[in-house]
């Protein structure tokens, strides 16, 4: 009789010890999530070298033996100079600060009224367990074990949040240098909101962030999520963004990844209502030895829906990129229109990309397409520009910026579009 090999036993033991160390000091209505998460890890373990979903991203290896996960999480010292600068730069916006995954209400500034925007602690929401996704991923299960705080950010029915909601997720040195995030974003019927998530690390210590964010988009609601990742070169990040859409809703995701040691973004969208629209845009610029992995899944359950996906990657030096995008169309999801594209440019012989666009279609009346491209800079395009008096480095930068611009042009917030364009232009100054 064969026995399944369990990887990450040390991490599982630490998870058990952490639960024991809580000594009942935990949010009561998250107990079931904690119990289920731990049971999942004991049964399935963490991803090993042959795990298909993590074949090219060795997250278990990246965190094993690096952190004391049995030690309770402390918030750590606040980077007050950074916080003051952020408040000054975004005066008039809703600003929420999360330090090592823990919401800091004292420093946060909410300009919208409670009629537009409601923020509750998970501890105060008896329905929190119902709003949390299942343990379908080992790191999501780990998240369920460790999370003992978090918020529910809710937009009431028929309300539009006039100002964007800016969420700053900051990793600081807190002795253990890890943090777990669990936040729920609830957009009720016919509501509208823009959420912008900024991720960065203070200092250059080895850090690990594991987050789960669940977006519940009710009927006729419209939600835009912008995610900007600028972690340190020693930061390991894994995030699960789970989206559930009801009829006639629109959800748009934008992911911009610039830095980090290992970054893994899981985006899972369940389209469970007719007339839905799902948009996914991503841009990743990797340099040095950065490893960036984007995994996406769109599950079309109901008919007459559209999904559109465009991810672009520019990879330099010894950096590595991974893109795995799957479109699943169930038998009932007739009249589905689904488009997916992934394009990558490698700027060195040592840069690497693994890309795998996928379609799984069980309906017969659909329009679906996918594709990917990988290559180096177009020498003919460079020659064309140089023939018009543009030097070689400038020509390369122009081509790369045009490539990235195919994603940037879809950003709906003008100030954010300018910020992202500036970051990209600064990064793409070709030597």
């Amino acid at each position: 009789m064969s026995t399944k090999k369990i990887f990450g036993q040390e991490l599982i033991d630490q998870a058990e010890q952490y639960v024991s160390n809580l000594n009942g000091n935990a949010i009561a209505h998250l107990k079931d999530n904690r119990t289920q998460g731990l049971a999942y890890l004991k049964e399935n373990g963490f991803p090993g070298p042959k795990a298909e979903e993590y074949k090219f991203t060795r997250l278990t290896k990246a965190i094993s033996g690096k952190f004391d996960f049995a030690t309770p999480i402390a918030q750590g010292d606040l980077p007050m100079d950074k916080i003051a600068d952020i408040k000054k730069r975004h005066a008039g916006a809703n600003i929420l600060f999360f330090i090592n995954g823990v919401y800091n209400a004292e420093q946060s500034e909410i300009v919208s009224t409670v009629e537009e925007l409601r923020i509750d602690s998970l501890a105060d929401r008896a329905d929190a367990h119902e709003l949390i996704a299942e343990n379908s991923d080992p790191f999501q299960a780990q998240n369920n074990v460790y999370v003992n705080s978090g918020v529910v950010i809710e937009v009431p029915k028929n309300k539009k949040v006039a100002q964007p909601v800016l969420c700053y997720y900051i990793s600081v040195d807190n002795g253990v240098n890890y943090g777990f995030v669990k936040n729920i974003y609830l957009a009720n019927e016919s509501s509208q909101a823009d959420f912008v998530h900024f991720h960065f690390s203070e200092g250059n210590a080895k850090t690990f962030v594991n987050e789960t964010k669940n977006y519940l988009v009710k009927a006729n609601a419209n939600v835009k999520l912008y995610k900007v990742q600028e972690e340190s070169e020693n930061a390991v990040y894994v995030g699960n963004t789970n989206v559930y859409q009801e009829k006639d809703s629109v959800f748009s995701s934008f992911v911009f990844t610039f830095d980090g040691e290992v970054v893994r973004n899981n985006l899972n969208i369940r389209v469970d209502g007719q007339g839905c629209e799902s948009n996914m845009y991503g841009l990743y610029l990797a340099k040095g030895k950065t490893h960036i992995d984007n995994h996406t899944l769109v599950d079309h359950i109901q008919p007459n829906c559209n999904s559109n996906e465009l991810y672009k990657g520019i990879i330099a030096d010894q950096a590595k990129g991974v893109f795995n995008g799957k479109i699943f169309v169930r038998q009932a999801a007739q009249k589905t229109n689904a488009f997916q594209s992934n394009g990558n440019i490698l700027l060195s012989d040592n840069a690497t990309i693994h890309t795998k666009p996928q379609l799984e279609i069980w309906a017969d009346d659909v329009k679906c397409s996918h594709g990917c491209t990988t290559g180096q800079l177009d020498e003919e395009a460079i020659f064309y520009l140089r023939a018009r008096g543009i030097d070689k480095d400038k020509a390369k930068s122009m081509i790369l910026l045009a490539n990235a611009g195919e994603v940037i042009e879809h950003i709906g917030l003008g100030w954010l579009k300018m910020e992202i364009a500036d970051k990209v232009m600064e990064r793409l100054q070709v030597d």
Side-chain angles (χ1 to χ4, degrees):
M1 181 178 177
S2 62
T3 57
K4 180 168 59 175
K5 185 174 181 178
I6 300 296
F7 287 91
Q9 188 60 53
E10 174 193 353
L11 298 173
I12 299 170
D13 293 342
Q14 288 180 327
E16 284 193 280
Q17 185 62 47
Y18 176 82
V19 173
S20 176
N21 289 342
L22 284 174
N23 292 323
N25 184 24
I27 299 176
H29 47 263
L30 294 186
K31 181 180 178 181
D32 287 346
N33 296 92
R34 200 180 313 279
T35 301
Q36 292 165 9
L38 189 57
Y40 178 97
L41 293 178
K42 286 182 176 181
E43 173 67 22
N44 301 284
F46 285 83
K50 296 182 179 179
E52 184 65 27
E53 289 298 305
Y54 286 87
K55 181 190 300 183
F56 301 112
T57 302
R58 303 289 294 278
L59 269 173
T60 305
K61 180 180 179 181
I63 64 173
S64 294
K66 310 291 195 311
F67 304 94
D68 180 12
F69 286 114
T71 301
I73 303 168
Q75 187 177 78
D77 295 331
L78 299 177
M80 295 307 298
D81 56 337
K82 284 282 183 68
I83 287 177
D85 178 65
I86 289 168
K87 288 181 177 179
K88 181 179 179 181
R89 187 155 50 97
H90 296 300
N94 297 292
I95 307 175
L96 285 66
F97 290 103
F98 298 85
I99 312 299
N100 293 330
V102 180
Y103 177 53
N104 189 296
E106 182 180 352
Q107 291 300 325
S108 298
E109 292 190 353
I110 311 301
V111 299
S112 296
T113 65
V114 292
E115 285 75 23
E116 277 187 13
L117 184 66
R118 175 180 168 183
I119 302 174
D120 297 317
S121 167
L122 282 178
D124 296 330
R125 294 288 296 243
D127 60 346
H129 174 68
E130 300 172 8
L131 301 176
I132 293 174
E134 299 175 356
N135 303 291
S136 56
D137 173 90
F139 292 98
Q140 189 163 272
Q142 184 192 37
N143 184 279
N144 277 341
V145 170
Y146 281 91
V147 162
N148 197 34
S149 66
V151 294
V152 177
I153 301 174
E154 183 172 359
V155 184
K157 182 178 180 180
N158 297 323
K159 295 297 182 179
K160 176 181 178 181
V161 184
Q163 299 299 325
V165 182
L166 312 183
C167 301
Y168 275 85
Y169 294 92
I170 307 173
S171 298
V172 303
D173 191 339
N174 64 347
V176 295
N177 293 334
Y178 71 84
F180 289 83
V181 180
K182 175 89 72 184
N183 291 333
I184 312 296
Y185 296 79
L186 175 57
N188 284 294
E189 289 84 352
S190 301
S191 64
Q192 185 174 338
D194 293 336
F195 298 97
V196 187
H197 297 179
F198 294 97
H199 297 257
F200 67 87
S201 308
E202 281 286 280
N204 206 33
K206 182 81 171 181
T207 60
F208 173 61
V209 174
N210 177 326
E211 70 173 26
T212 295
K213 296 172 183 172
N214 296 336
Y215 277 81
L216 306 179
V217 188
K218 298 292 188 176
N220 204 42
N222 190 324
V223 171
K224 291 185 176 67
L225 163 62
Y226 301 93
K227 187 174 181 180
V228 184
Q229 299 175 298
E230 295 181 279
E231 301 285 3
S232 77
E233 62 181 14
N234 292 315
V236 179
Y237 168 93
V238 56
N240 281 283
T241 301
N242 305 301
V243 182
Y244 179 82
Q245 288 186 249
E246 294 185 358
K247 67 177 183 177
D248 299 319
S249 65
V250 179
F251 179 83
S252 301
S253 167
F254 300 77
V255 180
F256 302 97
T257 309
F258 295 96
D259 293 296
E261 178 185 346
V262 179
V263 177
R264 167 70 176 238
N265 294 308
N266 294 326
L267 173 60
N268 307 300
I269 301 178
R270 293 187 65 207
V271 187
D272 198 8
Q274 295 196 43
C276 289
E277 179 181 332
S278 312
N279 300 302
M280 296 149 285
Y281 300 99
L283 176 64
Y284 44 100
L285 277 62
K287 65 177 181 177
K289 295 184 178 180
T290 295
H291 182 110
I292 300 172
D293 182 349
N294 285 292
H295 266 59
T296 67
L297 169 65
V298 184
D299 185 0
H300 284 279
I301 302 172
Q302 300 293 338
N304 301 303
C305 296
N306 300 320
S307 67
N308 176 67
E309 181 172 17
L310 175 64
Y311 272 68
K312 293 276 189 173
I314 300 174
I315 305 166
D317 306 323
Q318 296 175 280
K320 296 181 180 179
V322 180
F323 173 80
N324 188 309
K326 185 172 184 178
I327 298 172
F328 189 90
V329 182
R330 303 199 189 195
Q331 188 171 4
Q334 304 293 338
K335 303 293 184 181
T336 292
N337 291 328
F339 169 79
Q340 180 191 85
S341 177
N342 174 232
N344 300 281
I345 296 178
L346 305 180
L347 297 180
S348 80
D349 293 336
N350 295 319
T352 305
I353 180 69
H354 301 280
T355 180
K356 187 179 180 182
Q358 303 174 74
L359 292 175
E360 186 170 338
I361 302 172
W362 295 92
D364 52 18
D365 187 8
V366 300
K367 293 181 180 179
C368 298
S369 66
H370 67 170
C372 66
T373 59
T374 299
Q376 297 180 327
L377 282 169
D378 187 340
E379 292 297 332
E380 288 189 9
I382 294 174
F383 177 82
Y384 176 86
L385 292 173
R386 294 194 68 189
R388 279 147 182 79
I390 300 173
D391 67 63
K392 187 174 182 179
D393 287 346
K394 181 65 174 178
K396 289 181 178 179
S397 295
M398 290 175 65
I399 295 170
L400 292 173
L401 184 59
N403 187 272
E406 294 181 27
V407 173
I408 296 173
E409 68 180 5
H410 294 282
I411 298 176
L413 298 172
W415 62 268
L416 182 62
K417 181 181 291 187
M418 291 179 63
E419 282 193 13
I420 296 298
D422 288 345
K423 291 180 188 296
V424 172
M425 289 177 68
E426 181 180 357
R427 175 64 64 86
L428 297 181
Q429 296 303 311
V430 180
D431 296 329

